[in-house]
Amino acid sequence: MKRRTMLAGAAAFIAAGCSKIAGTGPGERLLAAAESWNEATHKALRGDALAPEYSKADISPDFRGNGTREIDEPAYKAQLANGFPDWELTITGLVEEPMALKMENIRKLPQRTQITRHDCVEGWSAIGEWTGPQLGLLLEAAQLKPEAKYIVFHCADTLGGSKYYESIDLDDAFHPQTIIAHMLNGEPIPEKNGAPLRLRVERQLGYKHAKYLTGIEAVASLDDIGEGKGGYWEDRYDYQWYAGI
Ligand SMILES: Nc1nc2c(c(=O)[nH]1)N[C@H]1C(S)=C(S)[C@@H](COP(=O)(O)O)O[C@H]1N2
Ligand SMILES: [Mo]
């Protein structure tokens, strides 16, 4: 019965309609994806190592903000004050069904909640409870083309003159703990932590967890994105692209 309710939720999401960039029938596909996703998740859970998860008692009283902590644009501030009704997350690149998702649609999808530890290379950690749909579900709905090898995350912020971005491989993209989070500790993500959407990719270091997400792009190669090293810190300071922990 629970599962039916969940799928009904996905159906409502479809009725609300994610807007199409091109093609037809994203709704049906998302429903089908939500169904087969459950199974895929269970398979992945059996075979894939999970990052440790913690209890509510372990949650850090304040989850520090790092890198960009604020977006100083009137349009962003206005959206922040109103719960981001018009924010769009696009899914583009090497997918059969490009789409643009509004926050209300993202909130209606099946969700995963996880309490995990964030480790920044600058030498601090914080434990937080994150909630959002699994990235794998979104990618399944968008249907990756066979050539797709990496998932690139585009962000709204500019740091030191360059747009922040990051990328991961498909193993991490389809990992069950990889989610597009919209809540931290049961509340909408605060501005300093990447409102309204940020990646959680729990087997990787902090800089991979792109904040202020605007777009997800499937690509065959990272050569033509940014400076070609797969991420903001990778391009600028030779940080490792694979930041596994
Ligand atoms: N868009 C964007 N994402 C980002 C950053 C940033 O400056 N901009 N900083 C990264 C770094 S180095 C870390 S440690 C985490 C910090 O997340 P927090 O601000 O929630 O602590 O976000 C990562 N993702
Ligand atoms: Mo970091």
Side-chain angles (χ1 to χ4, degrees), residues 66-67 118-124 164 205-208 233 239:
N66 204 44
H118 179 100
D119 294 309
C120 172
V121 288
E122 289 168 32
W124 59 274
Y164 201 95
L205 285 169
Y207 59 88
K208 303 297 287 185
W233 291 105
Y239 279 32

Side-chain angles (χ1 to χ4, degrees), residues 24-241:
T24 53
E28 302 248 315
R29 206 172 313 286
L30 194 55
L31 181 56
E35 258 169 27
S36 64
W37 181 243
N38 234 7
E39 191 184 323
T41 302
H42 285 288
K43 279 187 195 148
L45 275 169
R46 281 201 307 268
D48 246 344
L50 293 179
E53 294 193 15
Y54 298 81
S55 73
K56 286 208 187 258
D58 301 317
I59 292 174
S60 306
D62 177 46
F63 201 109
R64 170 175 165 169
N66 204 44
T68 303
R69 298 161 44 87
E70 138 163 71
I71 298 192
D72 221 355
E73 287 162 19
Y76 177 87
K77 297 287 191 207
Q79 288 244 36
L80 178 69
N82 286 316
F84 296 95
D86 301 324
W87 193 270
E88 271 189 353
L89 178 71
T90 59
I91 307 180
T92 59
L94 296 172
V95 296
E96 302 290 353
E97 298 286 342
M99 56 182 80
L101 301 170
K102 286 254 166 58
M103 292 303 296
E104 64 171 318
N105 303 137
I106 289 172
R107 292 185 198 109
K108 281 180 193 146
L109 287 170
Q111 308 282 311
R112 188 177 206 280
T113 292
Q114 56 203 33
I115 302 176
T116 52
R117 198 186 67 213
H118 179 100
D119 294 309
C120 172
V121 288
E122 289 168 32
W124 59 274
S125 300
I127 292 177
E129 181 191 68
W130 301 96
T131 301
Q134 288 166 309
L135 174 61
L137 169 60
L138 300 182
L139 296 178
E140 191 156 317
Q143 289 188 93
L144 291 184
K145 293 185 178 174
E147 314 90 88
K149 284 212 166 55
Y150 305 99
I151 306 298
V152 178
F153 301 91
H154 298 286
C155 306
D157 60 316
T158 299
L159 187 60
S162 315
K163 279 250 128 167
Y164 201 95
Y165 79 99
E166 258 303 337
S167 62
I168 59 176
D169 63 18
L170 297 187
D171 261 10
D172 267 319
F174 284 93
H175 186 272
Q177 288 171 315
T178 300
I179 66 174
I180 302 300
H182 56 89
M183 294 216 284
L184 169 58
N185 300 335
E187 303 280 344
I189 294 180
E191 180 174 17
K192 71 181 193 326
N193 303 110
L197 292 173
R198 69 100 51 86
L199 175 66
R200 293 302 308 170
V201 49
E202 304 294 356
R203 297 182 307 177
Q204 300 272 335
L205 285 169
Y207 59 88
K208 303 297 287 185
H209 300 230
K211 306 194 286 187
Y212 314 106
L213 286 179
T214 56
I216 294 174
E217 184 186 3
V219 299
S221 154
L222 298 171
D223 292 352
D224 297 331
I225 315 284
E227 304 285 316
K229 290 186 183 156
Y232 175 90
W233 291 105
E234 291 90 326
D235 282 346
R236 287 170 81 97
Y237 296 107
D238 274 343
Y239 279 32
Q240 301 251 323
W241 176 77

